[in-house]
Amino acid sequence: MKRFTILVALLLATTFSAFADKGMWLPSLIASRIDDMKAKGFKLEAEDIYSINQASLKDAVVLFDGGCTGEIVSNEGLLITNHHCGYDAIQALSSVEHDYLTDGFWAMSKEEELPCPGLKVHILVRMEDVTERIAKGEKVEKIIAKAQKEGKGYVAKVEQLYYGNQAYLFVYREFSDVRLVAAPPTTIGKFGADNDNWIWPRHTGDFSIFRIYVNGKNEPAAYNANNKPYTPARHFKVSTEGVKEGDFTMIYGFPGNTQEYITSDAVKYIAEKSDPTKIELRTQRLDIIGAAQKLSPETRIKYAAKQANIANAWKKWQGEVKGINRLGTYSKKLDYEAKFREQNPDKAYLLDSLEASYAKNMEGYFNYELFNETLRGIELQQVVFLASDAAAIERFYKDFDVEVDRELAVAMLKAYEELATADATSLRKLFAQHGGAEQYANWLYDNTKLGTFEGFKATNIAEDPMVEFANAVIEIQRYVKQFAYRNLSNIPDIQRWYQPYVKALMEWDKERAFFPDANLTLRVAYGKVAGYEYEDAVWHNPQTTLEGIIAKDNPEIYDYNVPQALRDAYAKKDYGRWGIELNGKYTVPVCFIATNHTTGGNSGSPVINANGELIGVNFDRTWLSTMSDIEFDETLCRNIICDIRYVLFVVDKVGGAGWLIDEMGL
């Protein structure tokens, strides 16, 4: 146990040795950062952020739908997240007759709130360092099973931090009765769409509102019409005082994936091979879907969520490559590694071993990523595996267009034929039998009967050629699944060298702030409201307003065609209590930016002020910030936040749902 004790002391000593804005800190250890937070303006204590003995802010933060964050804003389980986080649920409830994406949805009472089948949220009960328990021989499965017996609706998982140098247990309460309360029209919630995604200045009202329901004992329960709104241990107080340059901000959420400690080999792979390839493939897919959406309102709805999911990472990767190149991240890594080698000659073998492991696994991981971007994007093959599930089949065809899928299949099979180096014997044979990937794709869609729900019902699936294709894809999947990890660096053959390497870095680089990489567990990040220099002689202010929306408003362009209610409010200056004087104008604040370190998963996270009050809903980063998953630069990296005053303004003046504002205690 002596080795374990030394390791813990090392982590505690190095993790909090530097005090910069960057970092995603474990809430249970935030006491070690609280002095720096207070020096920057924070007025609460560590126990207010995280406590297992009393209600704390952690009890008002939810993991939303397994990949976003949300915040509880009333004592009746009302929660706010991003519009793009609720997008799948909103789309699933939409139809041509009830197009909640385009028109928005506003419940005027709890009775009008809509159940969202399959949507779940999780609230953290506690986190616990279990490194010592595992070192003593206790099995992870036993730790999890024991934790899940502690309460009704409890789920648990053990996550590795610092590439396995620490292990933490996270215990959650899972809620499955979640209902849609309000969603703005898409041209508010997704204003600017792909054109404005990852961009500043930004004018997107990226929010939606849901409610958690529970049984009569305030416990998680499956949907039941008799369920009651959830009474949380804590909810966020909403502040309408606004922000100004330099104000303290804290973000509390579930960041998904960062790679702070990867070596130059991984950076080069990302910037020169992985991202450029994925960008090109997604460009092709988006072009095909976009062209089809322009021709048909029905197709636009069917593919809205799919298009949004494809586009989000597509644009992020473009900014990531640009940022890596702009910062010279690859060269910096090489210099850092050279210095490490020089000052730690006895540990240079760690870098040699990492380099060799990357060389061994890079091709396989590229084929795994290629599989995900090409073959998995061909939807019709799913019917082969869903055939016995009547409900799943109906849901599939509701949001499917065979001609769109045909075009996608042609493009993606051609790309796979050109780029893949994996052992794909069966699929290659099918290509050869038909004269190439393009010819095979067209033959497949000419001969399958599964393109429509009617065809599916009239077909013996076992005799359909889609089965042969699906089996060929499965063969490839069996090969690439050995590389199916979050990142190239998480492949066990590579990651095993990161554990001693990161430990060695902590021992050597005493001035560096070592925080655990994001892995969709609850974290705290803090900073301040701040503009930045976008390029030479171009300064970006930290606040946008309603004037920017009206300047972009264009009825001829779907993504910029704002609701008439918004135009009317602007024309009459009917801003109610949400209007402010800013730069000599009477206006409504829309978005602001801050220096909080964020990534995917932080979408929907509460942004709070020095008093712990909700001032905004995080939803994006600037394009120059997307490299922050790999290198965070305080001068450039900014997270984008929807000002809570704009949320309230839209709820009030566009939705007419003032009862929700009353519920928030305003």
Side-chain angles (χ1 to χ4, degrees), residues 176-191:
S176 57
D177 187 354
V178 184
R179 305 182 194 180
L180 177 64
V181 178
T186 291
T187 49
I188 288 179
K190 201 182 171 192
F191 182 77

Side-chain angles (χ1 to χ4, degrees), residues 67-180:
C68 284
T69 305
E71 51 273 6
I72 301 174
V73 293
S74 84
N75 61 4
E76 294 188 86
L78 194 69
L79 72 87
I80 301 176
T81 187
N82 285 157
H83 184 267
H84 77 259
C85 293
Y87 203 73
D88 285 353
I90 301 165
Q91 187 268 335
L93 295 170
S94 295
S95 64
V96 173
E97 293 75 24
H98 299 286
D99 188 353
Y100 301 135
L101 291 176
T102 298
D103 303 328
F105 172 79
W106 306 97
M108 293 302 165
S109 67
K110 293 185 181 69
E111 289 71 29
E112 293 183 5
E113 296 170 359
L114 301 178
C116 301
L119 177 59
K120 296 179 180 179
V121 302
H122 296 79
I123 299 176
L124 183 71
V125 177
R126 63 182 177 88
M127 58 178 67
E128 176 189 346
D129 188 338
V130 292
T131 315
E132 184 174 359
R133 290 169 63 181
I134 294 172
K136 287 180 177 179
E138 189 172 357
K139 298 295 185 183
V140 169
E141 295 79 7
K142 183 177 179 181
I143 293 173
I144 291 174
K146 183 179 179 181
Q148 291 183 161
K149 293 178 181 177
E150 294 174 2
K152 181 176 174 58
Y154 278 23
V155 295
K157 60 180 179 179
V158 171
E159 295 284 358
Q160 300 294 320
L161 306 178
Y162 299 105
Y163 288 93
N165 282 299
Q166 275 188 311
Y168 261 76
L169 169 70
F170 296 86
V171 183
Y172 301 90
R173 188 175 287 111
E174 180 180 272
F175 299 87
S176 57
D177 187 354
V178 184
R179 305 182 194 180
L180 177 64

Side-chain angles (χ1 to χ4, degrees), residues 162-229:
Y162 299 105
Y163 288 93
N165 282 299
Q166 275 188 311
Y168 261 76
L169 169 70
F170 296 86
V171 183
Y172 301 90
R173 188 175 287 111
E174 180 180 272
F175 299 87
S176 57
D177 187 354
V178 184
R179 305 182 194 180
L180 177 64
V181 178
T186 291
T187 49
I188 288 179
K190 201 182 171 192
F191 182 77
D194 298 331
N195 289 329
D196 287 7
N197 195 18
W198 305 101
I199 295 298
W200 186 260
R202 195 72 173 274
H203 302 88
T204 308
D206 197 347
F207 76 92
S208 52
I209 304 176
F210 293 79
R211 191 186 303 277
I212 303 169
Y213 280 79
V214 291
N215 65 20
K217 297 180 180 179
N218 206 40
E219 299 170 331
Y223 170 78
N224 187 302
N226 295 321
N227 282 348
K228 308 295 183 183

Side-chain angles (χ1 to χ4, degrees), residues 21 42 55 99 126 151 156 171 174 311 484 576 578 629 659:
D21 280 354
F42 192 55
D99 188 353
R126 63 182 177 88
V171 183
E174 180 180 272
W578 322 116
D629 292 349
W659 71 285

Side-chain angles (χ1 to χ4, degrees), residues 247-264:
D247 281 356
F248 176 89
T249 58
M250 185 187 109
I251 190 166
Y252 210 165
F254 292 86
N257 181 31
T258 58
Q259 303 182 74
E260 177 77 13
Y261 310 107
I262 56 173
T263 63
S264 55

